[in-house]
Structures are given as structure tokens and as C-alpha cells.
Amino acid sequence: MKLLLVGEDRTLSGDLFRYFTPLGYSVIHYTNPLKAMDNFSEIRPDIVVFNETDYPRHWKLAAQFLRENFSRVTSVFVLLVNKEFPREDLHKAHILGVNGLISMNDTGSFEMSDLESLILHYKPSPEVRKHHGLLPLGNRTMDFIFMNPENLQLVTARVLELSEKGAVIKPVEKVKTQGLSEGMEIPGCSLKTGDIILNLSIRILKINGVFELEFLEGSENWQRQVQKSINSYN
């Protein structure tokens, strides 16, 4: 999973490398924001961390460039700001597709765990992706539908990543997921891929903005159908 830092501070780059590399991320650092933007389409970053304090005139352009090819789900855009960040720009950040802001202290540092938590709100960890053999679907649409047994609400979610073993999904309406908990098993779920609908049962492994799911069925025919669906999206 690629984490792209755009900023002047090489100390910050080193801190990101030491924290995120052991977790399975590849950290890429650009000190030139225009060059970074030119390479968005080639690098296809999973996460962009942009230091607004270094380039206050470039972050809006960078967000626009990224969103021309990658959605908020495909590429997470995180803005590093300080206490001088204009309040009126908060709305602009949302409109431009910024996923979240991290506030830095007077020394220009912040808690790496805060950044990790923000990322995991939109993406599974590299460890989860590797363990389940998950394949990112990017901007392509695949729906997952199930009934919440706690409130009987029909939950529709977008599939972010998929394998024969499980999936990572993002519910469309979070309010409908109230009452769901990690470890819960839910039968009668539907994986909708174009004209094909696969019925299955799942176990919720983790809830953190996105839901990490484990598929409970294991027949070869069912797995072939999932693999066929994956192949149709690549």
C-alpha cells in the first residue's frame, strides 16, 4: 500500500517511514508538489499526506489533481495543518475531496497513531489485505447488501476490496449499521456484481469506518463465482 508524502520536512519523512514501513506501507516522499501531482496517475497512491504549512498555495490544486482520477475511497487525501489554517478553508477541503485533517503542534509534529486511525477509517491495513488476499476494486462499483439483525434495517455498502476469503465494505448509510459488532455472523447477505448476485453468510471481523468481513461459505463452486466476479473487474 503506497503512502505518498508531499512536504519539505525530511525528518517527517523519516518518521513516517519508521512508523508505517513495518506495518506494510511503502512510503514515497516528494518535496516538489508540482512533480508529485504530475506523478499521481503513475504512482496511484493509496494515501496522500500533504503538508499544507509547506505549500499553502498548492493543496487545493493537489486535491483537484488527485480527484480527477481517484475517488475519496480509492486514494485517501490527508491534509497536515497548524493552528493558522483558515477556518473558511475547512468547507473548501470537504468540497475538494479531502478525507481528513491532522493538526500539527508548534514543532510541526503529530501523533502517528492519529494518522493511522484516519487511514484505517477508509482502508484496510496492509496486513489484512495480505492475509485475505484482497484486491482493491478502485472506482469500479460492486454492491454488498444485508439485513442488520439488530434493527432490521437493510444495509447497502460499496465493496472496496474483495477476495474468495472476504471483503472490505463501506456502508452507504452508517446509521443503519447501529448495533452491529465485531464477531457477529450474518446470514443471507448478497454480493451484487453487475447481473450476478451471490448469496452468502459473513462474519464481521472489524469495524472502523469500513467493515472487514470474512466469508463463511467455502465450496469450490462458490469460490469460483467470486473469482469470476473479481476477474470481471480487472
Side-chain angles (χ1 to χ4, degrees):
M1 192 173 290
K2 299 175 184 177
L3 188 157
L4 174 61
L5 168 67
V6 184
E8 293 181 349
D9 191 350
R10 296 189 182 276
T11 299
L12 174 57
S13 175
D15 291 341
L16 286 171
F17 183 86
R18 283 186 290 274
Y19 186 94
F20 283 96
T21 299
L23 299 178
Y25 294 84
S26 297
V27 178
I28 305 166
H29 182 202
Y30 276 85
T31 57
N32 186 324
L34 297 179
K35 188 174 182 180
M37 285 182 255
D38 286 340
N39 289 312
F40 280 164
S41 59
E42 179 181 345
I43 296 173
R44 303 183 66 86
D46 295 283
I47 307 105
V48 174
V49 178
F50 194 100
N51 194 332
E52 182 272 342
T53 64
D54 289 338
Y55 315 113
R57 298 181 180 180
H58 291 87
W59 72 266
K60 298 183 185 73
L61 184 61
Q64 289 177 324
F65 261 63
L66 189 68
R67 294 293 170 250
E68 285 180 2
N69 294 300
F70 306 106
S71 70
R72 296 176 78 250
V73 172
T74 306
S75 291
V76 176
F77 191 99
V78 179
L79 204 59
L80 302 180
V81 301
N82 60 20
K83 61 184 179 182
E84 296 178 3
F85 185 70
R87 292 184 62 84
E88 58 269 22
D89 279 351
L90 291 174
H91 181 66
K92 294 177 182 177
H94 176 73
I95 295 298
L96 291 172
V98 174
N99 295 78
L101 280 67
I102 295 289
S103 296
M104 298 186 294
N105 58 31
D106 293 338
T107 64
S109 61
F110 57 90
E111 292 293 334
M112 290 291 163
S113 58
D114 291 343
L115 176 57
E116 182 187 10
S117 296
L118 177 56
I119 293 170
L120 293 178
H121 190 78
Y122 294 93
K123 296 268 188 187
S125 68
E127 181 181 357
V128 169
R129 179 182 283 182
K130 181 179 180 180
H131 178 71
H132 291 286
L134 293 166
L135 178 70
L137 298 182
N139 292 326
R140 292 155 292 187
T141 301
M142 185 182 290
D143 294 326
F144 193 86
I145 304 170
F146 63 93
M147 182 73 73
N148 182 342
E150 296 300 307
N151 58 21
L152 302 183
Q153 292 286 313
L154 188 63
V155 179
T156 300
R158 178 179 177 182
V159 179
L160 307 181
E161 309 202 4
L162 179 68
S163 76
E164 297 98 329
K165 298 180 181 179
V168 174
I169 64 172
K170 181 79 171 178
V172 176
E173 297 178 88
K174 187 177 180 180
V175 66
K176 292 185 176 182
T177 66
Q178 290 183 356
L180 297 177
S181 59
E182 296 176 1
M184 183 180 288
E185 295 185 6
I186 304 178
C189 305
S190 297
L191 177 67
K192 187 175 185 298
T193 63
D195 297 328
I196 301 175
I197 298 178
L198 300 175
N199 296 314
L200 63 152
S201 299
I202 59 95
R203 179 183 293 111
I204 301 174
L205 298 180
K206 192 171 183 61
I207 301 175
N208 185 25
V210 296
F211 283 56
E212 297 173 13
L213 311 178
E214 177 186 14
F215 297 153
L216 299 182
E217 281 84 352
S219 70
E220 291 185 7
N221 180 60
W222 184 86
Q223 289 182 350
R224 282 197 297 270
Q225 289 295 328
V226 174
Q227 187 59 54
K228 183 178 179 181
S229 297
I230 293 173
N231 292 339
S232 71
Y233 277 72
N234 292 277

